[in-house]
Amino acid sequence: MAKDKIMYVCENCGQESAKWLGRCPSCSQWNTFREIRVAPEPTRAAAAHSAARSLRERGSSAAHDTGKDRPVPLRRVSAKDEPRIDMMDTELNRVLGGGLVPGSIILLGGEPGIGKSTLSLQTALRLRDRKVLYVSGEESARQIKMRADRLMEAADESGKDIDENLVILCDTSLENIFNHIKDVAPDLLVIDSIQTISTQDVDSSPGSITQVRECAAALLRFAKSSGTPVILIGHINKDGNLSGPKILEHIVDAVIQFEGDQHYMYRILRSIKNRFGSTSELGIYEMGQTGLRQVSNPSELLLTQDREGLSGVAISAAIEGIRPFLVETQALVSTAAYGTPQRTATGFDRQRLNMLLAVLEKRVGFKLMQKDVFLNIAGGLRVTDPAMDLSIIAAVLSSNVDTPIDAAWCMAGEVGLSGEVRPVNRIEQRIAEAAKLGFEDIIIPKYNLQGLDQKKYPIRLRPVRKVEEALRLMFG
């Protein structure tokens, strides 16, 4: 009997090595190599044979296509759009690129308790005309049933056909899962989670690099061979990255991540990788006692209803993905009590905050060296749009001089190191969103004014070229 081979794999990038290395030559990270056991080739192929056997017994017409493909000239390749499965969820369909592609494999990641299982089960309950096999390695069937009852009660729907269309399996053995797939013949397979699944042909514990890689590869072969889409739920590590080998992200067709603060009700579904759509899409949900609710207009929920007379608050017309929404930026500036000033940012890059404070001090002349600066993006969101720069500077200065900004004003603009207000993209969408919510004035970069018809907007456009001009408009 052939012995298992010992290899070392980098947890950060998936680089393989025959011996342990202190520093990864691919990603230059230290102490990321972990020892794995690689089974002999016949043993490693056992899971693939199990998947193929279940397909043959199902009578799948696509099983014979897993063999050799012949070279085909590019002009003979069909370029038709992939058919999509409507997930009955507008936000999820948007992030996936218009729906779920048959035969695709999706990796859904997120922190514990963020709502991954709730989103998957909620989606499975909505697919009334398709059979879904929900495999859980973390919860019992009773727990899943209790959650499903709560979700269905919230939706005020009858559950007569749920028992037939949604099949629950609580198992962690890959071989058993494929046997049940043969009997159930599902239209959608959900694995919760991939770190709990193991195959008996690999001599390592569930969740190890070897187990995750082999199980994901077997599920990929099943998805591509049968045309059945697979949704894998994955854990993330303490650094916020998906747990397991980096090759897991290369295997799947799409990687979507659930983000948000557990202390807030808002959740963001962000596409990190998508072979069938754009990675600039974004879905927003509201977490409640009765599950996840789609948020079609997040701007109204993210803004404080009564901002009149509050200093340190500025409204920015931001864009995440391709969706415009208005974000409330809150800042607090106070005298440093312990000598060394603090710089704290929640929902925003702290390094960029330090840069903006340096611009405010050097170019505008406000001394903030001996003051603490605390920044918060309301709603628990994390925003990376450069157009937030202008609102952050305005909020900091408003708190510093204790003068509120007019509640009917909002702004959008990137700030450069020389104090200039640089143009931003999708300016028309930002202006339209601000006008829809009743704002009267919006500060925009002067360069973005070119080609805009100011008469068609029911909001006054205030073009500025430098930070000083913007501050003069707001504070006089």
Side-chain angles (χ1 to χ4, degrees):
M1 181 177 178
K3 294 183 178 180
D4 292 350
K5 181 181 178 182
I6 301 297
M7 292 193 66
Y8 296 88
V9 177
C10 174
E11 287 184 327
N12 187 55
C13 67
Q15 175 74 22
E16 296 182 355
S17 174
K19 61 180 182 178
W20 185 86
L21 300 175
R23 184 179 185 183
C24 177
S26 177
C27 63
S28 300
Q29 297 294 318
W30 290 90
N31 298 323
T32 57
F33 275 92
R34 298 291 180 266
E35 178 183 317
I36 66 170
R37 291 180 178 272
V38 181
E41 192 63 31
T43 306
R44 294 182 64 191
H49 296 333
S50 178
R53 185 171 60 253
S54 66
L55 288 172
R56 288 195 299 269
E57 293 174 358
R58 277 179 63 177
S60 172
S61 61
H64 67 276
D65 293 333
T66 59
K68 301 180 179 65
D69 290 330
R70 295 181 179 179
V72 179
L74 181 62
R75 57 186 175 84
R76 293 179 55 188
V77 176
S78 175
K80 297 180 180 178
D81 292 337
E82 294 284 348
R84 302 275 181 167
I85 299 174
D86 185 5
M87 304 301 288
M88 310 302 293
D89 187 324
T90 305
E91 301 296 310
L92 182 58
N93 282 338
R94 177 188 289 113
V95 175
L96 291 175
L100 188 62
V101 176
S104 62
I105 181 166
I106 312 297
L107 178 60
L108 172 62
E111 295 180 356
I114 205 69
K116 305 183 298 295
S117 300
T118 301
L119 177 63
S120 302
L121 183 59
Q122 193 170 283
T123 303
L125 290 171
R126 288 175 175 157
L127 298 176
R128 296 298 184 86
D129 57 342
R130 297 181 184 273
K131 182 162 286 189
V132 181
L133 177 59
Y134 190 99
V135 181
S136 176
E138 300 178 345
E139 296 179 294
S140 65
R142 179 179 175 81
Q143 289 175 304
I144 298 174
K145 173 64 174 175
M146 291 172 60
R147 180 185 293 156
D149 289 341
R150 188 176 73 249
L151 295 175
M152 294 308 300
E153 181 182 354
D156 193 23
E157 297 177 17
S158 173
K160 291 191 226 175
D161 55 350
I162 292 179
D163 294 336
E164 297 181 3
N165 291 336
L166 178 57
V167 182
I168 305 298
L169 172 63
C170 298
D171 203 331
T172 58
S173 171
L174 186 64
E175 288 74 21
N176 291 342
I177 292 173
F178 280 130
N179 290 334
H180 288 292
I181 288 175
K182 173 191 66 176
D183 300 330
V184 176
D187 299 313
L188 172 64
L189 175 64
V190 180
I191 304 292
D192 184 11
S193 65
I194 186 60
Q195 277 81 14
T196 62
I197 306 301
S198 62
T199 173
Q200 62 186 9
D201 300 312
V202 176
D203 186 16
S204 61
S205 59
S208 64
I209 294 177
T210 310
Q211 286 283 8
V212 171
R213 180 170 59 180
E214 294 302 322
C215 292
L219 290 168
L220 172 69
R221 288 189 288 267
F222 161 74
K224 299 304 180 185
S225 302
S226 65
T228 303
V230 178
I231 297 178
L232 305 178
I233 297 179
H235 298 161
I236 65 172
N237 55 31
K238 61 182 180 181
D239 297 325
N241 300 317
L242 285 164
S243 179
K246 201 70 175 177
I247 193 174
L248 182 61
E249 298 181 37
H250 297 293
I251 287 176
V252 300
D253 295 311
V255 179
I256 54 179
Q257 191 154 339
F258 225 13
E259 302 174 355
D261 193 331
Q262 295 185 16
H263 301 289
Y264 292 90
M265 59 180 133
Y266 303 111
R267 302 287 187 268
I268 291 181
L269 189 63
R270 194 186 304 271
S271 175
I272 300 175
K273 168 191 174 181
N274 194 348
R275 289 175 178 161
F276 304 109
S278 171
T279 56
S280 61
E281 295 288 357
L282 194 74
I284 301 179
Y285 294 89
E286 182 182 359
M287 173 64 83
Q289 294 290 334
T290 55
L292 292 164
R293 184 182 70 84
Q294 304 173 46
V295 178
S296 58
N297 187 12
S299 297
E300 294 182 352
L301 298 176
L302 295 175
L303 298 180
T304 303
Q305 298 302 320
D306 185 12
R307 302 185 303 276
E308 195 70 38
L310 298 178
S311 64
V313 177
I315 308 301
S316 176
I319 284 187
E320 279 293 306
I322 61 173
R323 297 183 65 180
F325 55 91
L326 301 186
V327 182
E328 181 177 310
T329 305
Q330 302 172 347
L332 175 64
V333 179
S334 61
T335 303
Y338 303 104
T340 303
Q342 300 182 57
R343 302 287 188 263
T344 304
T346 303
F348 191 75
D349 185 12
R350 191 174 64 173
Q351 299 297 327
R352 191 163 187 86
L353 171 63
N354 291 331
M355 184 203 77
L356 294 174
L357 294 178
V359 171
L360 191 59
E361 184 167 335
K362 177 72 173 179
R363 304 299 180 185
V364 187
F366 286 90
K367 304 300 180 183
L368 300 172
M369 287 189 301
Q370 299 302 321
K371 294 189 177 182
D372 295 333
V373 179
F374 303 94
L375 182 71
N376 178 51
I377 305 299
L381 299 180
R382 178 166 186 84
V383 185
T384 58
D385 189 3
M388 293 282 298
D389 292 353
L390 197 55
S391 66
I392 288 171
I393 284 183
V396 169
L397 185 57
S398 172
S399 177
N400 186 45
V401 299
D402 199 18
T403 301
I405 300 173
D406 193 330
W409 285 58
C410 66
M411 60 208 72
E414 179 183 356
V415 176
L417 291 179
S418 60
E420 80 277 14
V421 180
R422 300 176 57 83
V424 294
N425 62 348
R426 303 180 187 272
I427 190 64
E428 294 186 3
Q429 289 181 264
R430 301 175 195 267
I431 297 173
E433 183 72 11
K436 183 175 69 173
L437 292 177
F439 284 84
E440 300 174 3
D441 297 83
I442 180 171
I443 301 175
I444 62 173
K446 192 171 184 178
Y447 182 83
N448 282 126
L449 199 61
Q450 299 179 7
L452 281 181
D453 184 8
Q454 302 185 45
K455 296 180 180 179
K456 73 175 184 179
Y457 299 109
I459 184 174
R460 286 187 293 271
L461 306 184
R462 304 280 190 167
V464 295
R465 194 170 60 90
K466 292 185 178 181
V467 174
E468 297 95 314
E469 299 177 25
L471 297 180
R472 197 176 298 117
L473 281 174
M474 286 181 282
F475 301 105

